């Protein structure tokens, strides 16, 4: 029996969340609704400009793994934090949520724990300004084969490809997982990430067991309209998931296709919608649910997280699954 049902590898980032209006975004030179990487000085400036700050452990795949863990599966997260106040906070909070944070905080060095300043505007859009800090130094030495190699499912973060060491860590984890009989997959992360690493991602899609992306990411990957892109993706990948804001979710596995309708709701905070969709979907895959049910679980989990501030669930999502007749 595997030690972990789902293991994630990605950036360990403390989310610092604040509300603001569109005028503030313009005045600060922040692009609305996207994730921007910032240098340390810019990050500290934006941090100082935030009102009513709240903080929580974050990072895209880490949020997904926390969501999966809250549904009762055994989970672990491979990430890198500094042995500072934010790093110790991050490790403790992940453990408190039931996920093994397998790498202890790193002492020494100059890079602090990573943080993302997230500004939430009245329409629920989140504008993320991320200083990567020490998480950008994640490398193959941080990947324990005893963790990745004993995972039923491994979930990888596309953002790791922004650094060569992250790419090496990613590939080492995927190899260990698949050698141990597990399934490895990736979140494409965002269209700009795909633009930066298109050739690498195209190769990966052919080698991994599942790939999750939204319509913009799939179109960017194949530089084609969505229908053509998904047709190519289905030929390349073991399992393909495509989400579209306010539209049906499309899931493909070989000749099998499932289209899951989405009930559109006005978000309180869109932070974590994709992360928790992935959590619900991976829970379905891990428990042997059908393609359609796995997609519906993803939609339920996403709807829950956008109904409140923060990127992680606050209610019993499994109870919501039961209410929807999914378990």
């Amino acid at each position: 029996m595997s030690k972990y049902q789902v293991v994630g590898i990605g950036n360990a980032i403390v989310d610092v969340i604040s509300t603001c209006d569109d005028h503030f975004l313009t005045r600060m030179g922040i692009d609305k609704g996207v994730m921007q990487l910032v240098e340390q000085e810019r990050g500290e400036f934006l941090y100082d400009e935030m009102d009513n700050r709240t903080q929580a452990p974050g990072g895209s795949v880490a949020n997904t793994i926390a969501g999966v863990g809250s549904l009762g599966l055994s989970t672990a997260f491979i990430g890198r934090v500094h042995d500072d106040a934010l790093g110790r906070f991050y490790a403790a909070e992940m453990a408190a949520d039931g996920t093994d944070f397998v790498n202890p905080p790193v002492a020494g060095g100059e890079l602090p724990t990573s943080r993302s300043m997230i500004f939430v505007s009245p329409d629920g859009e989140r504008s993320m300004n991320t200083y990567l800090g020490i998480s950008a130094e994640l490398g193959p030495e941080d990947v324990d084969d005893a963790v990745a190699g004993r995972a039923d499912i491994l979930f990888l973060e596309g953002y790791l490809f922004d650094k060569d060491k992250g790419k090496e860590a990613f590939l080492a984890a995927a190899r260990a997982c698949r050698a141990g009989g597990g399934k490895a997959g990736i979140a494409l992360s965002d269209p700009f990430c795909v633009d930066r690493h298109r050739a690498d991602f195209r190769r990966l899609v052919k080698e991994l067991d599942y790939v999750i992306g939204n319509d913009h990411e799939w179109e960017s990957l194949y530089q084609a309209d969505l229908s053509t892109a998904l047709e190519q993706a289905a030929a390349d990948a073991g399992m393909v998931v495509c989400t579209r804001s306010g539209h049906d979710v499309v899931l493909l596995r070989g000749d099998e296709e499932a289209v899951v309708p989405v009930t559109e709701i006005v978000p309180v905070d869109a932070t974590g919608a994709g992360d928790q969709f992935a959590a619900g979907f991976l829970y379905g895959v891990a428990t042997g649910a059908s393609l359609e049910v796995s997609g519906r679980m993803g939609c339920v989990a996403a709807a829950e997280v956008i109904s409140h501030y923060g990127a992680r669930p606050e209610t019993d999502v499994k109870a919501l699954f039961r209410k929807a007749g999914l378990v």
Side-chain angles (χ1 to χ4, degrees):
M1 181 178 178
S2 298
K3 182 178 180 183
Y4 296 111
Q5 289 163 290
V6 185
V7 172
I9 175 170
N11 287 308
I13 300 172
V14 177
D15 286 341
V16 186
I17 303 170
S18 174
T19 56
C20 72
D21 57 24
D22 288 350
H23 175 68
F24 176 89
L25 297 177
T26 300
R27 186 162 56 86
M28 291 290 111
I30 296 170
D31 289 339
K32 184 176 179 178
V34 300
M35 194 286 286
Q36 290 182 302
L37 295 178
V38 298
E39 298 299 325
Q40 186 171 358
E41 183 178 352
R42 170 74 168 165
E44 290 172 351
F45 168 75
L46 291 176
Y47 182 85
D48 290 339
E49 293 292 320
M50 301 180 89
D51 289 327
N52 304 311
R53 291 187 296 255
T54 60
Q55 67 182 37
S60 178
V61 165
N63 290 335
T64 295
I65 297 304
V68 173
S70 74
L71 287 164
L73 301 190
S74 57
T75 56
F77 181 68
I78 299 167
R80 189 175 178 89
V81 297
H82 187 62
D83 189 14
D84 54 17
L86 282 180
R88 291 188 291 273
F89 164 81
Y90 191 99
E93 288 294 305
M94 289 293 285
D97 286 342
T99 291
D100 286 352
F101 189 74
V102 296
N103 298 330
V106 178
E110 297 179 356
L111 291 175
T113 295
S114 310
R115 72 286 311 267
S116 181
M117 280 60 68
I118 302 173
F119 297 92
V120 183
S121 43
D123 58 2
E125 280 290 343
R126 82 273 197 223
S127 305
M128 304 171 66
N129 299 264
T130 303
Y131 167 60
L132 286 179
I134 197 172
S135 69
E137 297 300 308
L138 183 78
E141 67 276 10
D142 296 306
V143 177
D144 185 346
D145 284 355
V147 176
R150 294 167 65 192
D152 291 335
I153 295 174
L154 181 71
F155 189 41
L156 306 151
E157 185 171 309
Y159 287 129
L160 285 183
F161 268 63
D162 281 329
K163 286 287 188 78
D164 288 342
K165 288 180 66 176
K167 187 186 301 184
E168 292 169 17
F170 182 113
L171 295 173
R175 281 195 296 267
C177 173
R178 300 189 82 190
K183 295 179 179 179
I186 185 177
L188 292 175
S189 294
D190 77 17
F192 304 109
C193 186
V194 175
D195 288 343
R196 292 191 294 269
H197 308 292
R198 184 173 290 111
D200 282 330
F201 282 165
R202 281 194 183 179
R203 283 193 294 271
L204 268 176
V205 166
K206 296 179 180 179
E207 297 173 10
L208 297 178
D209 299 291
Y210 64 92
V211 183
I212 301 173
N214 65 30
D215 49 345
H216 304 300
E217 291 155 4
W218 284 115
E219 288 171 345
S220 173
L221 184 64
Y222 290 105
Q223 297 177 289
D225 64 85
L226 185 61
S227 177
T228 302
L230 291 182
E231 184 178 343
Q232 183 61 54
D236 286 348
M239 184 159 42
V240 170
V241 181
C242 177
T243 61
R244 293 181 294 164
S245 180
H247 293 81
D248 297 346
V249 175
V250 178
L251 305 99
L252 307 168
R253 180 169 54 197
D255 294 331
E256 183 183 0
E257 177 178 351
V259 179
V260 177
V262 172
T263 302
E264 192 168 5
I265 62 175
V266 177
V268 172
D269 172 14
T271 308
D275 303 340
Q276 295 311 318
F277 173 87
F281 169 74
L282 291 177
Y283 176 84
V285 173
T287 56
S290 69
L291 202 58
E292 180 188 357
V293 167
S294 298
R296 291 177 63 195
M297 287 176 167
C299 292
V300 169
E304 188 281 333
V305 81
I306 66 173
S307 69
H308 57 77
Y309 287 109
R312 299 188 177 189
E314 291 186 350
T315 59
D316 184 346
V317 176
K318 191 179 287 187
L320 299 178
F321 289 170
R322 285 193 288 269
K323 184 177 180 181
L326 301 177
V327 294

